[in-house]
Amino acid sequence: MRLSNTSKFAIRADSLEDGNGQHRKRAEAVVSEFVTDHVEIKAGAAADDSNQLGKRAEVGGKAIYHFDRARNVYVLGQTTVATWDHGKEVHRIGVGAEWQITDRWGLKGQVSTGTGGLGALAGVKYKAAEGEEYYIAYELPDRTNVGTSTGTSIGNLVIGSRKRFSDTLSVFGEEKALHGHSGVTGLTHAYGVDYTTPKGWTARVLTEVGVVDGLDRTAVAGQLGYKLDWFKGGISGEYRHDESLSYGTRDTYAGRVTGLWKLNDSLRFQSKLNGTISEATGTKYGAFDAEFFEGSVGLAFRPVNHDKLNVLTKYSYLYDLPPLHQLNGTTLGIADFKQRSHLFSIDASYDLNRYMTVGAKYGLKIGEQTGSLVSDDWFKSNAELIAAGIDIHLPFEWDAFAEVRMLRLPEIDQVDHGVVVGAYKHLGNNVKLGVGYNFGHFSGDLANPEKDEHGWFANVITKW
């Protein structure tokens, strides 16, 4: 997202789990600024959680010198600033360059060193014509995250192409080969088509076929969207077939439908429906199927003649039967529980003046859960959340906030209290980046109120 003529903001989140029980989750935010016509500075922060390295928080930076739009050199570095749950520190420095040799040929390369040893990247891109390009790249990742990203693989080779046939139609294809000490450990093929019409329709079809560390996958996905001045909606679906000598076969069906209606200048109505069914057969540890369904409707109210008030009401239904390894990582025991819940919430805020906003939240969960994944001993799991807070608007586009919370669990006759404080920095009109501290031991997520959320956190808020 562009914040000004010289600055940009980017966020990214990745979540990975594989058939060998490895998992990694990572979220990062980066701000970049051109301090001169040629010098660009990037700074960012990230949170990382993997069963190899534990949990950690990182900061990093990159200084780039642009000779022109097509040629640059840079230096980069990152370091760990905090660890928890047996997290390990990671540090890295490196140099690199991107160089457009001619109008058609471009090169890029990077070398780094640090906690995980040597890392390298080299690539070549060829522009055959306007809207048509081909590329080849080889990456030798640092060994910090061996096992969390490519299993037994050491490096990977990528060959691909992109072609735009018209303003409405484009296609791409990509081949990826992964190798380890014993030879090739993975080979995947990905293809896709994008189609856009001037009348607001968009369509996309994607396929992926390949083998990585003994997991044989075939997948196909499709997306269809439509946009008008008063409506925006979409539908998407995916089918995956996985085969593994260790875990047997698994077929996964996933779908999503979304809609946003502008009823008038003061009212917005939104809805979504997500569903996933995963069927396993012949697994080494038993046929553990998985199901997930979530549907919600919401109404946002901000009167145009009194825009100090904001109100959002929402209803959701959640049914979650998790797979074996989603909750247990590498452990081969039984996952925690399955649940089905009705969730109601209302959230309101009011601008007292240009310096202060007050708000309140109320949430109600009427639900059931089981004692384990394989049992059907459903019992009530109701919860009630009440919160009130204040935002102070400070100079230089900063906000300080504080919120008090109360969580009531009637089935076990328990009431918990908590306080959350923090600060947000406005990055343009649409993004706020913040940090804070939760003095309580629960979050505002009623779908899992028993989750311990004590301590530091980082958060990104976007608005339209």
Side-chain angles (χ1 to χ4, degrees):
M1 180 175 292
R2 184 166 292 281
L3 305 178
S4 68
N5 292 333
T6 60
S7 60
K8 292 186 296 184
F9 173 72
I11 55 176
R12 173 174 174 161
D14 295 307
S15 179
L16 170 74
E17 297 182 32
D18 65 21
N20 296 318
Q22 307 291 343
H23 78 266
R24 185 183 186 187
K25 297 179 180 179
R26 182 178 177 87
E28 60 185 42
V30 179
V31 178
S32 61
E33 174 77 27
F34 273 90
V35 294
T36 72
D37 291 341
H38 296 281
V39 178
E40 181 184 12
I41 302 296
K42 294 186 176 184
D48 201 301
D49 176 11
S50 75
N51 55 359
Q52 291 278 329
L53 299 173
K55 299 179 180 179
R56 65 184 187 274
E58 303 172 349
V59 296
K62 186 177 183 179
I64 310 170
Y65 186 85
H66 297 268
F67 294 93
D68 50 42
R69 282 189 169 186
R71 300 179 299 168
N72 66 73
V73 294
Y74 59 85
V75 296
L76 58 87
Q78 72 179 75
T79 186
T80 300
V81 293
T83 62
W84 57 97
D85 289 351
H86 310 291
K88 299 178 182 179
E89 293 189 359
V90 174
H91 312 283
R92 180 153 294 273
I93 57 174
V95 297
E98 297 179 2
W99 212 266
Q100 193 72 28
I101 302 175
T102 68
D103 291 341
R104 296 184 181 272
W105 290 95
L107 302 176
K108 65 178 178 179
Q110 178 180 301
V111 178
S112 64
T113 185
T115 306
L118 178 67
L121 171 69
V124 180
K125 182 170 66 175
Y126 175 68
K127 183 178 180 180
E130 187 65 32
E132 180 180 357
E133 67 177 26
Y134 302 86
Y135 55 91
I136 180 172
Y138 180 79
E139 183 180 17
L140 179 69
D142 68 85
R143 310 316 316 140
T144 301
N145 295 308
V146 170
T148 63
S149 58
T150 56
T152 59
S153 299
I154 294 177
N156 61 78
L157 175 70
V158 178
I159 302 173
S161 65
R162 299 179 184 274
K163 182 174 177 62
R164 188 178 72 247
F165 290 96
S166 66
D167 292 339
T168 60
L169 180 64
S170 61
V171 299
F172 74 89
E174 189 171 279
E175 308 289 316
K176 179 182 288 188
L178 301 94
H179 75 86
H181 291 293
S182 59
V184 176
T185 61
L187 182 64
T188 64
H189 324 276
Y191 308 97
V193 179
D194 290 314
Y195 182 70
T196 304
T197 70
K199 295 181 179 180
W201 287 97
T202 59
R204 195 178 205 198
V205 178
L206 305 161
T207 64
E208 185 178 64
V209 180
V211 180
V212 178
D213 290 334
L215 178 67
D216 190 341
R217 168 168 290 181
T218 302
V220 61
Q223 302 172 359
L224 182 65
Y226 186 64
K227 184 178 180 180
L228 296 171
D229 292 338
W230 56 272
F231 171 77
K232 180 172 66 174
I235 182 171
S236 60
E238 180 177 350
Y239 167 73
R240 294 196 307 270
H241 176 76
D242 297 328
E243 294 186 15
S244 169
L245 294 177
S246 299
Y247 294 93
T249 64
R250 181 177 288 274
D251 292 295
T252 302
Y253 310 84
R256 177 182 176 91
V257 181
T258 61
L260 176 63
W261 288 263
K262 180 182 177 181
L263 303 180
N264 55 47
D265 291 339
S266 301
L267 282 175
R268 303 289 190 277
F269 177 79
Q270 61 182 19
S271 63
K272 71 175 181 179
L273 177 64
N274 299 323
T276 302
I277 298 176
S278 189
E279 300 174 345
T281 58
T283 59
K284 184 177 179 180
Y285 303 102
F288 287 93
D289 296 339
E291 296 177 1
F292 175 83
F293 295 98
E294 180 189 24
S296 69
V297 291
L299 187 66
F301 176 61
R302 186 178 190 184
V304 292
N305 57 354
H306 194 66
D307 61 2
K308 295 182 177 182
L309 177 66
N310 291 271
V311 181
L312 175 65
T313 60
K314 186 177 179 181
Y315 163 76
S316 300
Y317 174 77
L318 174 67
Y319 176 79
D320 189 12
L321 169 61
L324 179 65
H325 294 304
Q326 177 173 293
L327 297 178
N328 284 40
T330 57
T331 305
L332 296 176
I334 302 302
D336 289 348
F337 61 88
K338 49 190 177 183
Q339 66 165 313
R340 52 195 182 198
S341 302
H342 299 272
L343 304 168
F344 305 87
S345 66
I346 181 169
D347 190 333
S349 65
Y350 186 82
D351 297 330
L352 295 178
N353 51 49
R354 57 182 297 188
Y355 303 106
M356 188 178 302
T357 300
V358 294
K361 304 175 185 177
Y362 176 78
L364 176 65
K365 172 186 175 183
I366 301 175
E368 296 177 300
Q369 73 177 58
T370 61
S372 70
L373 176 66
V374 296
S375 68
D376 285 319
D377 57 337
W378 293 96
F379 57 88
K380 290 184 178 180
S381 177
N382 299 330
E384 187 178 24
L385 176 71
I386 301 174
I390 184 172
D391 281 29
I392 307 296
H393 309 299
L394 304 174
F396 307 107
E397 297 185 326
W398 278 92
D399 286 349
F401 72 91
E403 184 177 85
V404 293
R405 297 173 174 174
M406 182 192 76
L407 177 69
R408 188 173 74 91
L409 304 175
E411 268 56 58
I412 58 176
D413 195 22
Q414 178 178 322
V415 177
D416 294 323
H417 297 85
V419 177
V420 180
V421 298
Y424 281 100
K425 169 65 175 177
H426 289 262
L427 304 175
N429 295 323
N430 302 98
V431 179
K432 290 199 299 183
L433 177 65
V435 295
Y437 193 87
N438 185 356
F439 291 93
H441 288 270
F442 60 92
S443 74
D445 181 12
L446 282 179
N448 192 7
E450 299 170 310
K451 185 178 181 181
D452 192 345
E453 291 287 348
H454 177 76
W456 291 98
F457 65 90
N459 194 26
V460 176
I461 296 177
T462 60
K463 58 182 178 178
W464 285 265

